[in-house]
Amino acid sequence: ALWIMAAKWEMETQLSSESARHLFLRALRFHPECPKLYQEYFRMELMHAEKQRKEKKAFEQAKMDLGEFSYSEEILNGEMARIIYRDAAQKIKGVEFQLAVLSIAKLFDFTQDLQKEILESLQTKYADDPLTWDYMARRELELGPPHPKEHATKQMKVSEMTRREERCCAVFEEAVGAVPREDMWKCYITFCLERYNRKTNSEELKQKRLERTLTVFNKAHEASLLSEALYKQWLQLLLECNLFEKATEVAEAATSRFSLSVEVWQMRLQLLIQLKSDGVTQCFEEATKHMKSQSALPLWTLWVEWSEGTNSKEDTETLYQRSLRATTPAESVTMKVKYLDWTYRNGGYKKVRKVFTSMCEDRPFSLDFFKKMIQIEKEQESCKMLHLREYYERALREFGSTDSDIWLNYIKEELSHPQGKPENCGSIHWRAMKMLQGDLVEDFVSKYTLLQTGHL
């Protein structure tokens, strides 16, 4: 980046293409395979050629005698840039570089031959690369009649655009035949989606683009070359167009192809829930079977949330208890907190105490599990310090060595609760100092000091 900045300064501020060229050549000794350097050097030589062409033209128009000042035809035609391109093409492989150089050449109107050379190189060296095909297809959009007629009617413009898009698709159809790969279909579908999302006042064109996009999705699906992400886009498009029956069919096809993907199952389930389908429970059962060893947490979360709004309390409770057994120990932690929260909302304080006690020995826990219970206790009119102590003690048993805030909150509780015993604070402080690990002791001491001086 620094070399490029320096060369740019020489070229634009100092008006010295010679110094810029020297800088680029030195830079390439340090970074012999840097595509960006070659691109900028290539651009600089074309800018230099363009500048010389303009100068020569100005001299000729003024009919001035050029004297000793001669312009080399080769430089004027961008020969230096061609040399750089050929040198770079031997060292830097890949379509991206070729396309970047081509897009720079297209900015200058005297580089027709050079563009042709780059294009030919693309088609011979990278014929099986989807990016080459993608470029060749999209190029058809620009290759219309050179100047559209000034008084072209709206209908003429629409049919011209339709013709161009059809030519692009013809190239893409050839491409997916020649390179039948997932990334090739992705290029084709991306193109169709881009055209479909373009604003147009013509309903006819909009409809054509939609039909084309849906057809291409279908063909890729039939060829089993549609990626997971594209199934999602297909579904979104079908839902936008209210094609619910087809959407259900596509979602099912996606789960049978990517049966181990949580996201794909989620997508299908959300669709069934949205359509208020009868098959939601059955689909959840099917999904969790496939997800045995995978991370099924998002599915269980979705299932219990759906059940809360749809099923009876008994069914939802059974489901929560099932989720604790079905998820991995690390994931069951999240379900425990959700279960506590739901029980409190639907069964009240006594019920949540029961559930908490029943889960108390069922490790692992998260700190949120105990915090939830402390919060519920503090919401009660007759908030008992005895219960709070029980929750804090249980939390400290699990997290006392790794979390200093829980000790401080415990101390605060003893100081501020009507049934609290401030005399217990000393022993809590002493236990904290013994249990906390490493830097947490310092952290605890500084916060405790702030608490004592009334700043916390």
Side-chain angles (χ1 to χ4, degrees):
L2 285 170
W3 285 106
I4 291 169
M5 273 169 70
K8 205 173 170 186
W9 181 77
E10 287 289 359
M11 180 77 185
E12 292 170 10
T13 313
Q14 300 301 92
L15 304 177
S16 167
S17 45
E18 195 55 40
S19 306
R21 187 176 294 129
H22 279 302
L23 275 171
F24 274 121
L25 290 168
R26 277 177 60 201
L28 286 167
R29 281 177 19 220
F30 290 98
H31 307 279
E33 286 175 7
C34 169
K36 188 75 182 144
L37 260 180
Y38 275 110
Q39 286 166 35
E40 292 307 318
Y41 184 15
F42 179 78
R43 188 196 307 269
M44 189 278 294
E45 286 296 0
L46 288 176
M47 281 164 71
H48 173 59
E50 186 175 53
K51 190 174 149 199
Q52 292 223 327
R53 289 170 80 88
K54 282 180 181 163
E55 272 178 17
K56 187 181 178 204
K57 195 176 175 186
F59 279 138
E60 283 167 354
Q61 278 172 346
K63 297 191 169 55
M64 282 173 68
D65 178 21
L66 297 180
E68 294 167 19
F69 201 78
S70 67
Y71 288 94
S72 147
E73 273 307 310
E74 285 186 327
I75 285 182
L76 292 177
N77 292 331
E79 199 52 44
M80 293 293 282
R82 189 190 302 270
I83 293 166
I84 294 161
Y85 162 69
R86 285 177 180 168
D87 182 35
Q90 287 172 348
K91 293 178 187 157
I92 296 164
K93 302 292 173 231
V95 181
E96 289 89 343
F97 177 72
Q98 300 271 347
L99 290 176
V101 175
L102 185 54
S103 68
I104 293 169
K106 284 172 80 173
L107 301 172
F108 299 88
D109 56 10
F110 57 90
T111 59
Q112 262 43 41
D113 288 351
L114 183 53
Q115 288 178 45
K116 206 168 150 198
E117 182 177 328
I118 300 171
L119 256 179
E120 280 167 6
S121 160
L122 250 183
Q123 287 170 291
T124 49
K125 282 190 192 163
Y126 302 102
D128 59 348
D129 193 303
L131 287 178
T132 303
W133 283 100
D134 188 50
Y135 178 79
M136 297 311 293
R138 285 167 182 271
R139 206 165 146 253
E140 294 295 330
L141 278 180
E142 300 159 21
L143 300 176
H147 296 291
K149 297 182 190 81
E150 290 211 3
H151 305 294
T153 62
K154 182 183 156 189
Q155 189 51 44
M156 283 159 76
K157 285 179 184 168
V158 167
S159 36
E160 176 53 34
M161 186 44 77
T162 309
R163 267 199 301 277
R164 289 183 191 199
E165 288 182 8
E166 277 165 4
R167 288 206 308 268
C168 293
C169 291
V171 177
F172 273 121
E173 287 293 337
E174 195 187 329
V176 290
V179 187
R181 293 196 339 227
E182 205 173 271
D183 47 355
M184 189 66 257
W185 278 103
K186 186 185 174 183
C187 290
Y188 191 2
I189 289 170
T190 305
F191 169 76
C192 292
L193 283 170
E194 277 171 22
R195 299 313 296 175
Y196 170 67
N197 290 322
R198 277 180 83 86
K199 286 205 169 29
T200 171
N201 296 327
S202 160
E203 270 309 308
E204 179 200 348
L205 188 58
K206 184 93 179 150
Q207 193 53 33
K208 260 200 179 116
R209 285 171 173 172
L210 174 63
E211 283 164 16
R212 180 191 300 135
T213 308
L214 292 174
T215 307
V216 175
F217 266 121
N218 217 28
K219 283 182 181 172
H221 160 66
E222 282 166 5
S224 299
L225 289 170
L226 197 57
S227 68
E228 192 180 313
L230 286 175
Y231 270 108
K232 286 183 195 167
Q233 285 186 277
W234 190 8
L235 257 186
Q236 278 166 352
L237 184 60
L238 291 167
L239 291 176
E240 258 175 53
C241 304
N242 297 329
L243 298 167
F244 300 122
E245 206 174 309
K246 180 70 178 168
T248 314
E249 203 183 294
V250 167
E252 193 177 335
T255 50
S256 64
R257 175 134 190 250
F258 298 101
S259 61
L260 295 180
S261 163
V262 179
E263 284 87 358
V264 172
W265 281 106
Q266 257 178 300
M267 192 171 76
R268 181 177 169 195
L269 286 160
Q270 278 159 346
L271 173 69
L272 293 177
I273 291 169
Q274 188 183 334
L275 300 179
K276 297 191 167 45
S277 159
D278 299 335
V280 176
T281 305
Q282 190 190 342
C283 187
F284 269 117
E285 294 288 0
E286 201 186 327
T288 48
K289 259 188 214 122
H290 282 287
M291 287 294 134
K292 268 181 188 159
S293 57
Q294 308 294 106
S295 53
L297 180 63
L299 295 181
W300 283 103
T301 308
L302 186 62
W303 197 353
V304 293
E305 282 170 2
W306 169 75
S307 180
E308 282 178 24
T310 314
N311 296 341
S312 65
K313 287 183 187 178
E314 291 74 18
D315 287 351
T316 304
E317 178 147 24
T318 311
L319 200 56
Y320 266 113
Q321 286 166 350
R322 249 185 84 186
S323 77
L324 298 181
R325 295 190 297 276
T327 46
T328 60
E331 290 178 337
S332 70
V333 158
T334 310
M335 295 312 295
K336 283 172 189 161
V337 180
K338 283 185 82 66
Y339 185 18
L340 272 188
D341 186 48
W342 175 81
T343 307
Y344 180 52
R345 280 187 283 119
N346 290 277
Y349 176 68
K350 279 187 178 166
K351 175 86 174 162
V352 85
R353 278 271 301 164
K354 243 188 205 162
V355 168
F356 175 78
T357 312
S358 73
M359 288 197 283
C360 260
E361 298 310 317
D362 186 15
R363 287 180 174 76
F365 304 107
S366 65
L367 195 48
D368 285 340
F369 177 70
F370 298 105
K371 282 182 178 170
K372 186 83 211 161
M373 216 43 226
I374 290 166
Q375 180 200 332
I376 290 171
E377 183 66 50
K378 287 168 86 168
E379 284 172 14
Q380 307 311 308
E381 269 182 56
S382 59
C383 164
K384 295 192 172 66
M385 189 63 207
L386 192 69
H387 291 163
L388 285 176
R389 279 193 198 107
E390 179 199 343
Y391 308 144
Y392 273 112
E393 289 296 343
R394 284 186 182 281
L396 289 171
R397 208 181 306 165
E398 307 292 329
F399 303 101
S401 58
T402 55
D403 190 293
S404 58
D405 287 348
I406 198 158
W407 290 100
L408 283 158
N409 291 339
Y410 191 8
I411 290 171
K412 276 192 219 170
E413 218 67 72
E414 289 286 14
L415 291 170
S416 60
H417 195 283
Q419 298 159 14
K421 292 184 179 171
E423 62 270 26
N424 287 357
C425 295
S427 73
I428 297 172
H429 179 275
W430 180 77
R431 282 166 60 204
M433 298 294 282
K434 274 178 69 178
M435 265 185 90
L436 284 166
Q437 296 171 349
D439 297 343
L440 290 171
V441 177
E442 254 177 75
D443 185 46
F444 173 72
V445 169
S446 58
K447 283 181 182 169
Y448 184 69
T449 311
L450 288 171
L451 180 66
Q452 282 184 310
T453 54
H455 289 93
L456 192 63

